[in-house]
Amino acid sequence: MICNRYRFLGTGVALTSVALVSACGGNSASGGDSGTGTIKIGVVAPLSGDSASAGTDIVNAAKLAAKEINKDGGLLGGRKVELVVVDDACDAQTGTAAMQKLMSQNVVAVAGGYCSGAAIAETVITDKRNVPFIADAQTNVQITDRGLKHVFRTIGRDDKQGEFAAKYLVESLKAKNVAIIHDNTAYAKGLAEAARTSLGKVGGKDVLFDAITPGAKDFTSFLTKVKSADPEAIYFTGYFADAGLVLKQARELGITVPIIGGDATQDATVIKTAGSASEGFATTTAPLPSFISSAAGFVTAYKKTYDTDAGPFAPYEYDAIKVIADAIGRAKSADSQKITDALHATKDYEGITGTINFEPNGDRKNAVYVTAVVKDSKFVPGKTLDASGAWVDAG
């Protein structure tokens, strides 16, 4: 059995070179802390496959956070943060093996991930070891609704996004008849079902609810069926690797109604793939880095360090690492259970994505959603709901 090896390098950040697991196992030793030396925090992300660019972005954000922590003197009297990075390829089986690998490295906490299907499997392992896991991008409700005591997230969840999407489609776009398209993954199907349920509550209905085959290159036949359903809008909840082609081919077929994507589609890849067909494309999403005034310093540092813009979930990963560090400081310990207890006790932590508090089940309280719209080949702020429930500009 062969395991590829990959070394992540980052100035000022100690990074363990570990196997990026594609089919590798690992022993089941619990994560833990020796009380001396570096404090190991695991980072899981898809570093291979269609979502690799998102995974690289997540790892880069974690590296920036760790670099800042270490530059500021580290934790617990000067101990440095060491990131241990593994590849889950957005796959549950690969993620299980990757998480076993992390546990064998004695990490005290884990932050990261991208695909909900992988995270659902991974968090079973971390919870059994009493190791806290903070999801930065995975929104499926099962992640925090299974009674696991060591799971948190800095992002919102699908039922809330589905509710937001349904209101946007019906109230803002005035589209009552909607075609909902997913790809049968845990994330995409979960968001699609949430939107479908919420659609009926706000006076809309789905005229088509169906799944594409992810990775297909020609969606023409499927989109012909969508067109025949005569929707007033289309909501696509799959991933960005497919979204660009879906968008481009829909426009080529003469589908002119608004096409809205879920929060896995607001990636520059969609614009590159769809070209001019991407103009006007909107997504329902947590605020993007460039939309968040409190993340301005992070956005600048990311660009300077990596010579590219921070991706949509980068600030949520940055905050995940930083809130773990905050919990370690408050716990005065790098013991995983004590870190978990401190995370549950988090009160008004001021992250770059806003104030962070956790619900008893680990969900982030008061997660915000906005729309991001493609204008002149880049995502710009669209709409959001204010406290009174009225639609206002998100910018």
Side-chain angles (χ1 to χ4, degrees):
M1 198 174 289
I2 300 173
C3 299
N4 295 325
R5 298 187 66 83
Y6 187 96
R7 182 177 295 276
F8 293 90
L9 302 177
T11 305
V13 186
L15 292 170
T16 300
S17 175
V18 299
L20 296 182
V21 184
S22 59
C24 306
N27 66 45
S28 58
S30 297
D33 180 59
S34 65
T36 60
T38 60
I39 296 174
K40 295 181 179 181
I41 298 176
V43 177
V44 60
L47 297 166
S48 58
D50 288 343
S51 299
S53 61
T56 299
D57 189 63
I58 287 164
V59 171
N60 286 345
K63 288 164 61 177
L64 274 183
K67 179 181 177 180
E68 290 181 10
I69 293 165
N70 291 339
K71 184 178 179 180
D72 289 342
L75 301 171
L76 303 180
R79 295 176 64 187
K80 300 295 185 181
V81 170
E82 179 179 352
L83 300 184
V84 186
V85 181
V86 292
D87 175 21
D88 69 7
C90 264
D91 174 77
Q93 184 174 356
T94 304
T96 296
M99 197 54 65
Q100 289 171 341
K101 186 72 178 183
L102 271 187
M103 296 299 98
S104 75
Q105 297 288 320
N106 290 328
V107 299
V108 302
V110 180
Y114 182 66
C115 292
S116 292
I120 289 168
E122 292 160 2
T123 48
V124 171
I125 295 171
T126 56
D127 195 70
K128 284 181 178 177
R129 300 325 203 296
N130 299 325
V131 173
F133 181 112
I134 302 185
D136 66 328
Q138 310 92 303
T139 56
N140 188 279
V141 297
Q142 291 186 57
I143 291 169
T144 50
D145 278 359
R146 292 168 294 160
L148 305 183
K149 302 300 183 183
H150 301 80
V151 181
F152 305 82
R153 52 180 152 202
T154 53
I155 199 76
R157 44 186 278 157
D158 287 341
D159 52 352
K160 299 300 183 183
Q161 183 182 177
E163 180 181 337
F164 175 85
K167 288 181 178 179
Y168 178 69
L169 289 160
V170 175
E171 297 174 359
S172 185
L173 296 185
K174 309 301 181 185
K176 292 187 176 182
N177 298 320
V178 180
I180 300 176
I181 305 170
H182 59 94
D183 65 8
N184 268 328
T185 60
Y187 154 74
K189 190 172 184 181
L191 177 55
E193 290 173 340
R196 184 186 204 180
T197 298
S198 294
L199 201 59
K201 296 178 181 179
V202 293
K205 66 177 181 178
D206 59 289
V207 294
L208 180 140
F209 186 91
D210 206 349
I212 63 166
T213 300
K217 300 304 180 184
D218 187 354
F219 298 105
T220 304
S221 177
F222 181 90
L223 289 168
T224 298
K225 181 169 62 173
V226 174
K227 185 178 181 180
S228 67
D230 196 26
E232 295 170 296
I234 296 169
Y235 189 46
F236 175 73
T237 66
Y239 288 90
F240 68 83
D242 295 315
L245 283 175
V246 168
L247 186 56
K248 182 179 181 180
Q249 291 169 16
R251 297 308 188 212
E252 289 172 346
L253 272 177
I255 297 175
T256 59
V257 300
I259 299 177
I260 313 302
D263 60 350
T265 64
Q266 72 278 21
D267 189 279
T269 303
V270 175
I271 299 172
K272 292 176 184 177
T273 302
S276 60
S278 66
E279 282 295 303
F281 174 67
T283 71
T284 57
T285 179
L288 303 186
S290 61
F291 299 1
I292 310 170
S293 59
S294 54
F298 167 79
V299 169
T300 299
Y302 192 101
K303 179 75 170 181
K304 181 179 180 180
T305 304
Y306 303 112
D307 195 29
T308 188
D309 293 328
F313 298 105
Y316 300 93
E317 172 65 8
Y318 176 94
D319 272 354
I321 296 291
K322 285 295 189 80
V323 80
I324 288 171
D326 176 71
I328 290 171
R330 286 185 288 108
K332 297 181 173 58
S333 171
D335 174 80
S336 294
Q337 183 58 56
K338 291 180 180 179
I339 297 171
T340 298
D341 293 340
L343 285 168
H344 278 295
T346 297
K347 183 173 176 58
D348 297 336
Y349 175 80
E350 292 302 329
I352 62 171
T353 60
T355 304
I356 296 176
N357 293 289
F358 295 112
E359 301 283 1
N361 69 346
D363 277 324
R364 181 172 181 165
K365 291 183 179 179
N366 303 316
V368 175
Y369 280 101
V370 302
T371 62
V373 184
V374 177
K375 183 178 181 181
D376 297 328
S377 298
K378 70 176 185 177
F379 284 103
V380 299
K383 297 291 185 180
T384 192
L385 288 167
D386 67 12
S388 70
W391 288 99
V392 296
D393 291 338

